[in-house]
Amino acid sequence: QVFKLSKMFANSIVLFDVDGTLTAPRKDVLPEMLEFLKKLRKTIKVGIVGGSDLVKISEQLGKDLINSYDYVFAENGLVAYKNGELLAKQSLKSFLGEEKLKNFINFCLRYIADLDIPIKRGTFIEFRNGMLNVSPIGRNCSQEERDEFEQYDKKAGIRDAFVKALKAKFAGEGLTYSIGGQISFDVFPQGWDKTYCLRFLDQFEDVYFFGDKTFPGGNDYEIFSSERTKSSTVTSPEDTITNVRLFFYAHEKLGD
């Protein structure tokens, strides 16, 4: 049966977001998910696409990440691996230039300094290879503080307001803003969202995608709504397994 299905999906690949899809936000992947993905690879090629850098994704999905899946796209694909080998790498610094980058960072730091929120910690801006990650509370907060800020932000709209201020200040700079996870948002050039990884998948007839932040402004929205993908919204790792089973194995019990 697996052989028949693998022939059916021979020219296809399935991509998974990380936080909220394969793992709980910023938590380690559970063994049952790893086993499920391992079995899934016998049927269809599997790729991981995350907004975080490779180090952070590896912390969640395992040190042997790049060798465990057919494709791994860190930072939305700006750092791309295929079969364990580096495929391509793109840089935000070379795109924007130091002067524009400095002005943007300075504005963010001033904005955060003036924010009146319950708590602040440290690492408010994280410079990644292909994007900036901006966190009003600071990435050094504890998991409990993350959870509290997420609930606070849902009511107060801190990240939404921050993004609107940046869009007004830096209109015309060709930047995209994507709210994801619990405490931060990403900033990157237009087209450098998760659809960026699709340029490496032209050989596949069908590209399936599963993610949780698929609403407008969420960091899965662009790839979810792309004409190139056949996508599904999930709400948790457990929901991901359920939906993948329904999607690919209507008459199977993969992973049972």
Side-chain angles (χ1 to χ4, degrees):
Q1 203 67 25
V2 169
F3 176 71
K4 288 181 182 177
L5 287 167
S6 63
K7 285 185 69 177
M8 186 186 306
F9 296 113
N11 203 24
S12 303
I13 185 169
V14 57
L15 300 176
F16 293 97
D17 166 53
V18 182
D19 273 354
T21 301
L22 297 181
T23 74
R26 291 303 305 145
K27 298 288 182 66
D28 293 346
V29 68
L30 295 177
E32 49 263 43
M33 177 61 81
L34 289 177
E35 185 61 27
F36 181 77
L37 294 173
K38 185 177 178 181
K39 289 182 178 180
L40 182 62
R41 284 189 72 199
K42 294 178 181 178
T43 296
I44 187 171
K45 285 185 168 54
V46 174
I48 307 298
V49 53
S52 295
D53 60 32
L54 190 67
V55 172
K56 285 189 173 61
I57 298 175
S58 297
E59 287 173 356
Q60 291 177 262
L61 298 185
K63 292 181 179 178
D64 201 35
L65 172 68
I66 62 172
N67 295 305
S68 299
Y69 303 97
D70 301 284
Y71 288 83
V72 174
F73 300 113
E75 300 182 50
N76 294 346
L78 299 174
V79 181
Y81 285 85
K82 177 184 178 182
N83 299 325
E85 300 290 330
L86 183 65
L87 189 61
K89 194 172 183 178
Q90 178 59 279
S91 165
L92 175 67
K93 185 169 68 176
S94 61
F95 177 85
L96 275 182
E98 290 292 358
E99 192 64 25
K100 287 182 180 179
L101 194 54
K102 182 181 70 177
N103 290 339
F104 188 92
I105 291 172
N106 286 346
F107 181 88
C108 287
L109 291 173
R110 289 192 198 100
Y111 188 98
I112 291 169
D114 291 335
L115 265 182
D116 184 17
I117 57 178
I119 61 169
K120 293 180 185 176
R121 293 298 180 250
T123 312
F124 299 102
I125 299 176
E126 187 173 83
F127 181 80
R128 299 175 182 171
N129 182 68
M131 69 177 72
L132 292 173
N133 179 265
V134 182
S135 174
I137 185 178
R139 297 191 66 86
N140 288 359
C141 61
S142 67
Q143 185 60 53
E144 183 182 0
E145 290 164 345
R146 279 175 170 265
D147 295 341
E148 289 172 355
F149 178 82
E150 182 181 27
Q151 295 308 312
Y152 175 78
D153 187 47
K154 284 179 180 177
K155 296 175 183 175
I158 299 299
R159 288 184 290 177
D160 278 333
F162 200 159
V163 165
K164 285 177 182 174
L166 288 168
K167 284 181 176 179
K169 176 68 176 177
F170 297 96
E173 293 294 349
L175 294 172
T176 295
Y177 305 85
S178 183
I179 296 173
Q182 296 177 286
I183 60 167
S184 64
F185 58 88
D186 296 327
V187 184
F188 43 85
Q190 288 173 2
W192 287 22
D193 50 62
K194 285 182 180 173
T195 59
Y196 190 92
C197 75
L198 298 176
R199 67 189 61 199
F200 303 112
L201 304 176
D202 287 343
Q203 69 273 36
F204 295 104
E205 185 176 337
D206 294 312
V207 178
Y208 300 93
F209 173 75
F210 291 83
D212 67 318
K213 296 287 193 299
T214 58
F215 50 83
N219 63 356
D220 295 324
Y221 176 71
E222 289 85 2
I223 191 169
F224 173 81
S225 56
S226 170
E227 292 181 357
R228 183 72 177 89
T229 62
K230 298 178 179 180
S231 301
S232 294
T233 301
V234 296
T235 57
S236 67
E238 296 75 19
D239 192 44
T240 297
I241 290 176
T242 298
N243 273 273
V244 170
R245 283 177 175 154
L246 289 171
F247 208 93
F248 295 109
Y249 299 86
H251 307 292
E252 299 296 312
K253 290 190 176 181
L254 182 72
D256 282 355

